[in-house]
């Protein structure tokens, strides 16, 4: 990817722009914590051509949420499960809202 092509990706939440060290610094955690989240399969960093982990802004938000839960005394495995369940709930609520909108707009209204 050229510099010209990559500059358009800077606003992409899923673009793996951050190295492990930079990502950890940005959200105030250790690189080891990021690796632990990968081991727990909460986030899966992409790899650079050289094999180095790269994280997206979206993944950093998830990591920051995991850190909040761990700081509250929740074990990392449980924190990861909570985040997965929160994401599933959010997706189900979004799907339900879309369905209600679709059904609501397809229902004929009674004439006055």
């Amino acid at each position: 990817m050229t510099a010209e092509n990559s500059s358009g990706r800077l606003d992409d939440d899923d673009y793996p722009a951050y190295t492990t060290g930079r990502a950890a610094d940005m959200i105030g955690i250790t690189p080891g914590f990021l690796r632990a989240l990968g081991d727990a399969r909460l986030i899966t960093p992409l790899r650079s051509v050289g094999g180095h982990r790269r994280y997206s802004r979206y993944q950093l938000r998830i990591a920051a949420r995991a850190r909040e839960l761990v700081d509250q005394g929740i074990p990392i495995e449980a924190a990861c499960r909570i985040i997965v369940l929160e994401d599933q709930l959010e997706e189900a609520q979004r799907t339900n809202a879309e369905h209600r909108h679709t059904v609501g707009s397809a229902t004929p209204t009674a004439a006055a």
Side-chain angles (χ1 to χ4, degrees), residues 55-71:
Y55 297 89
S56 69
R57 287 186 297 188
Y58 174 73
Q59 290 172 323
L60 296 185
R61 283 195 301 276
I62 292 171
R65 175 69 177 128
R67 186 65 211 188
E68 289 173 5
L69 293 171
V70 169
D71 286 348

Side-chain angles (χ1 to χ4, degrees), residues 56-101:
S56 69
R57 287 186 297 188
Y58 174 73
Q59 290 172 323
L60 296 185
R61 283 195 301 276
I62 292 171
R65 175 69 177 128
R67 186 65 211 188
E68 289 173 5
L69 293 171
V70 169
D71 286 348
Q72 294 172 16
I74 297 172
I76 193 167
E77 297 83 12
C80 292
R81 184 67 181 142
I82 288 168
I83 292 167
V84 167
L85 290 171
E86 287 174 341
D87 283 349
Q88 289 174 346
L89 176 60
E90 184 180 322
E91 178 62 26
Q93 289 172 331
R94 186 174 28 256
T95 300
N96 285 341
E98 289 171 5
H99 178 70
R100 281 192 303 272
H101 177 73

Side-chain angles (χ1 to χ4, degrees), residues 6-90:
S6 63
S7 66
R9 305 286 313 262
L10 293 177
D11 291 332
D12 184 349
D13 255 5
D14 295 318
Y15 182 66
Y18 306 103
T19 63
T20 302
R22 177 71 179 126
D25 286 344
M26 287 174 66
I27 58 175
I29 62 174
T30 65
F33 188 78
L34 273 176
R35 287 189 295 274
L37 296 178
D39 292 345
R41 298 183 185 191
L42 180 62
I43 57 176
T44 304
L46 292 175
R47 298 284 181 151
S48 69
V49 175
H52 300 281
R53 291 175 180 90
R54 300 287 181 170
Y55 297 89
S56 69
R57 287 186 297 188
Y58 174 73
Q59 290 172 323
L60 296 185
R61 283 195 301 276
I62 292 171
R65 175 69 177 128
R67 186 65 211 188
E68 289 173 5
L69 293 171
V70 169
D71 286 348
Q72 294 172 16
I74 297 172
I76 193 167
E77 297 83 12
C80 292
R81 184 67 181 142
I82 288 168
I83 292 167
V84 167
L85 290 171
E86 287 174 341
D87 283 349
Q88 289 174 346
L89 176 60
E90 184 180 322

